[in-house]
Amino acid sequence: MVPRGPKSANRPPRDVVDLHCHSTLSDGQYDVETLLDKAAERQLRALAITDHDNLDSYAIGKDLARERGIELIPGIEISAVHEGRDIHVLGYCFDPTNLSLNLELKEQHRRRKERIRAILKKLAGLGVELTFEKVQSFSRGGVLGRPHVAQALMAEEYVSSFSEAFQKYLGDEGAAFVEKRGLSVEEAIRLIHRAGGIAVLAHPLRTGVDDLLDKLPDWGLGGMEIVTGLKKAAAVRKLRDWAVDRGMACTGGSDYHGDQSPCGLGTLSIPYRALDDLRDKLEIQKTEWI
Ligand code: AMP
Ligand code: FE
Ligand code: FE
Ligand code: ZN
């Protein structure tokens, strides 16, 4: 726990936000409360915890955030598929109790389990024996994903590092790779809209989105994640201009997963006005839907 004496309570929070990070509800190292402690330590004004296909961070964290003087924003990172490629769509400011969204997330969880079982089958064919239960033990109740398989591979000493697990087995080029199935990008965006939220494309430069750019405005994308710590200034500027020209919000986030993450929580100095801008865009979107 961070000490919250009268001194820290009186200090105005830094005008900085982080709109992308992961807890143990998906593949993050720290639980929601610990992330909020870290956010308080860094004096963040607002935080969105954007777990893969899981929206429970808001219900778990909203009171804990208030106690720490942090504004917690409902957030999620939905996994979508475009021509066999994994595309991550961030959702913000939605109603976490929305039925369609919650039902579809249940389906995503079922598909994730199915995919993990298919990966384990491929691994077994390669002489790598891991049980589903072993993999699940690393998820601590959260949404299952390849990182948990990577952790199991390390624990059983089949690989010596996380990156080796992806390189050798789990990544696109890995021997046990299984394509993801599920929502299209358009469906993911629509789902976030139906829950009253705004959709933002996660880490577009890391994913590569050249084949998608033309379609995204028609699909109702509300923003681009521009500030991610990626040091490709010219490409970042070009994408920012593209988004601004189309009336989209420009957001940012650390994509913090834990101690091994390249970018620490709240370290990107993303100004609070980025969140204000996102909300303004959402209000405009809502009037367009009427
Ligand atoms: P999944 O949703 O099961 O496909 O897992 C995707 C997650 O795995 C990403 O969000 C990252 O956290 C992690 N990941 C993907 N590729 C790599 C990689 N090459 N090295 C380390 N982690 C990765
Ligand atoms: Fe992840
Ligand atoms: Fe992502
Ligand atoms: Zn992420």
Side-chain angles (χ1 to χ4, degrees):
M1 280 287 286
V2 177
R4 287 187 305 280
K7 250 189 182 158
S8 63
N10 289 336
R11 197 168 49 212
R14 286 200 312 150
D15 223 26
V16 167
V17 304
D18 194 334
L19 298 177
H20 189 161
C21 65
H22 296 267
S23 76
T24 47
L25 294 168
S26 64
D27 56 355
Q29 180 183 351
Y30 296 110
D31 64 15
V32 169
E33 185 162 15
T34 310
L35 283 179
L36 287 165
D37 280 340
K38 287 178 181 295
E41 251 167 69
R42 291 206 64 86
Q43 299 174 50
L44 295 191
R45 184 165 165 197
L47 180 73
I49 300 175
T50 51
D51 278 303
H52 299 291
D53 297 329
N54 186 306
L55 51 65
D56 296 341
S57 61
Y58 186 72
I60 294 169
K62 66 177 191 305
D63 292 340
L64 298 168
R66 196 175 314 123
E67 287 165 19
R68 289 161 177 78
I70 296 166
E71 204 179 321
L72 187 67
I73 311 300
I76 192 166
E77 184 174 20
I78 296 183
S79 287
V81 184
H82 179 71
E83 291 172 2
R85 255 173 353 107
D86 212 3
I87 306 283
H88 291 175
V89 182
L90 293 159
Y92 297 107
C93 308
F94 50 81
D95 169 11
T97 67
N98 179 269
L99 191 61
S100 309
L101 181 54
N102 280 279
L103 287 177
E104 191 52 52
L105 291 178
K106 278 221 163 85
E107 262 308 288
Q108 291 275 87
H109 299 168
R110 193 189 55 73
R111 285 190 285 257
R112 278 179 171 275
K113 280 188 184 161
E114 220 172 69
R115 184 186 187 211
I116 298 294
R117 288 190 196 281
I119 291 172
L120 294 183
K121 221 176 194 171
K122 274 199 168 179
L123 283 172
L126 298 163
V128 177
E129 298 291 342
L130 285 182
T131 63
F132 185 80
E133 288 67 31
K134 180 82 195 174
V135 173
Q136 210 164 24
S137 71
F138 289 96
S139 83
R140 288 176 285 171
V143 169
L144 272 184
R146 284 179 293 166
H148 304 118
V149 184
Q151 282 172 278
L153 284 168
M154 279 170 71
E156 298 295 304
E157 298 183 351
Y158 284 112
V159 294
S160 53
S161 70
F162 204 75
S163 56
E164 191 191 342
F166 274 89
Q167 227 163 36
K168 213 164 162 184
Y169 297 115
L170 306 171
D172 295 10
E173 312 278 318
F177 179 72
V178 173
E179 243 180 45
K180 206 177 243 178
R181 282 164 207 262
L183 296 169
S184 68
V185 175
E186 189 178 11
E187 285 168 335
I189 294 171
R190 207 179 310 140
L191 204 57
I192 293 164
H193 285 180
R194 267 162 73 187
I198 184 158
V200 173
L201 201 70
H203 40 72
L205 290 173
R206 200 170 78 207
T207 310
V209 288
D210 288 352
D211 57 336
L212 272 175
L213 278 186
D214 285 352
K215 304 173 187 95
L216 291 170
D218 288 343
W219 290 345
L221 191 79
M224 276 281 179
E225 192 179 52
I226 297 293
V227 181
T228 64
L230 195 77
K231 290 178 181 62
K232 287 186 184 172
V236 169
R237 236 178 285 123
K238 195 169 154 205
L239 197 64
R240 182 201 59 197
D241 292 348
W242 181 92
V244 169
D245 285 349
R246 282 152 190 84
M248 289 184 188
C250 293
T251 71
S254 61
D255 204 359
Y256 178 74
H257 281 73
D259 296 343
Q260 303 303 318
S261 286
C263 204
L265 187 76
T267 54
L268 288 174
S269 304
I270 296 149
Y272 187 85
R273 69 182 139 76
L275 176 58
D276 270 340
D277 192 34
L278 189 68
R279 287 177 176 137
D280 288 348
K281 295 288 186 301
L282 177 56
E283 287 314 305
I284 294 168
Q285 264 192 24
K286 282 183 174 169
T287 60
E288 283 169 354
W289 299 335
I290 293 166

